[in-house]
Amino acid sequence: MRNAFAETFYEAARNNEKLAMVVADISAAGSMDKFRQEFPQRFVNTGVAEQIMIGICAGMAMRGLKPFAYTIATFALFRPYEFIRDDLAYQNLPVTVVGIGGGVTYSQLGGTHHAMEDVSLACAMPNMRVIAPCDPSEVSAATQWCIGNEAGPVYLRLGKAGEKDISKNATEPWRYGKVRYLRGGREACIVGYGPILGMAMEATEGQDVAVVSVSTLKPLDKDGLGTLLSRYPLVVVIEEAVSRGGLGEAIRSLAYDTGATCKITCMSLKDKFIHKYGSHAEVLAAHGLTVEALKEKLNG
């Protein structure tokens, strides 16, 4: 996903001199390195100074540039949170904060690198838009939208590398602010965002179950979700984030407001720091997020 972001950004930057990249202690690689080498005057590495990264982006935006702040999700959002709030959101500046490794993607690095609360914190911030694509194709589309966005700040939550392109057979294109059906179905529906939807696609293989990507978490597509809640008897929400302030809570609240009668089951990261060090799949399993567990929810 980070490669898809870097390539999309690089190609756009070749024809848009306003695009700039500010990173914090991240080594440029692939297309990001191509951008750094070809446009060094538009690439800044602040080192371990994430607050400065956000401040520089704010200044660039106020001078008419289109900056992106880019680093590991925990350091992109948590460490400079006050600066994002005051410098970007309060001023409503069109800066995109890119968080790499949302959820527990950086599994072996432990809790300091696990962005479990980022969705909740970003969605709680006034003026902030939150986008969490499910695969490289959605990343490219979302990045292009962010490049053209002039409305205000965006938190773009990405995975890391090696994610499968699960939306290639989707019946509709990616659109900002809209839910997207990756797979049709009638018996039930799995709703989520980010790379963990790959688990949903695997769990529903050969079943009459829909899979829906809610990549735009703020503003939420209440009309699209309302239609979904009225259509299916069972809705399973899966997210690689804590439940409090997440998509599951938002959908349950919407169901209450609209009088939906469907059964809603939510799966998320546990509300605890789990000292499990291993592969991404192993850490997800420690949080109860597996294909087998998802199938049980569908059959329960």
Side-chain angles (χ1 to χ4, degrees):
M1 293 179 81
R2 63 185 179 186
N3 293 337
F5 165 78
E7 183 64 26
T8 303
F9 184 86
Y10 167 74
E11 291 297 331
R14 296 175 67 186
N15 300 306
N16 186 344
E17 295 183 352
K18 290 186 177 182
L19 287 177
M21 180 65 64
V22 184
V23 306
D25 199 35
I26 288 289
S27 298
S31 294
M32 191 69 72
D33 192 49
K34 287 193 295 184
F35 175 82
R36 180 184 65 83
Q37 292 188 32
E38 291 186 32
F39 310 107
Q41 72 279 11
R42 290 191 270 152
F43 183 90
V44 179
N45 190 339
T46 66
V48 187
E50 291 82 2
Q51 294 93 337
I52 299 300
M53 174 183 70
I54 298 301
I56 289 175
C57 285
M60 285 180 168
M62 294 178 74
R63 294 299 297 270
L65 296 176
K66 196 54 165 309
F68 281 59
Y70 175 97
T71 192
I72 295 173
T74 48
F75 309 121
L77 187 69
F78 296 169
R79 186 170 291 167
Y81 191 78
E82 180 188 5
F83 286 71
I84 294 173
R85 179 181 183 271
D86 294 348
D87 291 358
L88 303 186
Y90 186 66
Q91 312 295 334
N92 205 27
L93 295 176
V95 174
T96 300
V97 178
V98 184
I100 303 300
V104 293
T105 304
Y106 282 97
S107 55
Q108 295 176 329
L109 298 183
T112 59
H113 286 61
H114 293 173
M116 304 192 304
E117 320 94 307
D118 58 334
V119 168
S120 305
L121 289 171
C123 285
M125 187 178 293
N127 287 335
M128 183 63 72
R129 295 143 188 83
V130 181
I131 305 175
C134 72
D135 67 359
S137 293
E138 284 200 349
V139 169
S140 295
T143 301
Q144 291 171 355
W145 183 88
C146 290
I147 288 170
N149 168 54
E150 296 291 345
V154 179
Y155 176 56
L156 179 60
R157 186 198 211 227
L158 305 183
K160 188 180 176 185
E163 296 89 355
K164 295 180 180 179
D165 198 340
I166 61 175
S167 66
K168 58 184 178 181
N169 295 321
T171 58
E172 51 195 352
W174 184 89
R175 292 182 295 164
Y176 168 76
K178 299 296 181 181
V179 300
R180 184 189 190 198
Y181 283 77
L182 304 182
R183 172 178 289 160
R186 293 170 296 181
E187 294 182 357
C189 181
I190 298 177
V191 181
Y193 55 89
I196 202 167
L197 280 180
M199 187 183 294
M201 296 295 281
E202 182 179 348
T204 57
E205 189 68 39
Q207 298 189 48
D208 194 13
V209 176
V211 178
V212 174
S213 172
V214 188
S215 58
T216 305
L217 293 163
K218 185 184 178 184
L220 203 59
D221 182 5
K222 293 184 178 181
D223 290 338
L225 287 171
T227 299
L228 181 153
L229 290 170
S230 66
R231 179 182 298 170
Y232 296 98
L234 171 64
V235 174
V236 178
V237 184
I238 184 168
E239 52 187 326
E240 192 177 340
V242 296
S243 62
R244 188 178 295 273
L247 179 62
E249 281 194 352
I251 287 179
R252 281 178 164 155
S253 176
L254 180 63
Y256 177 83
D257 290 343
T258 59
T261 58
C262 61
K263 179 181 178 181
I264 300 174
T265 299
C266 298
M267 302 176 67
S268 65
L269 297 178
K270 294 180 180 179
D271 184 21
K272 61 171 62 176
F273 292 110
I274 294 180
H275 297 280
K276 170 74 176 181
Y277 302 93
S279 68
H280 186 199
E282 288 172 334
V283 176
L284 286 176
H287 281 274
L289 296 175
T290 65
V291 171
E292 292 73 21
L294 182 53
K295 287 181 178 180
E296 289 180 5
K297 296 294 185 183
L298 289 173
N299 298 325

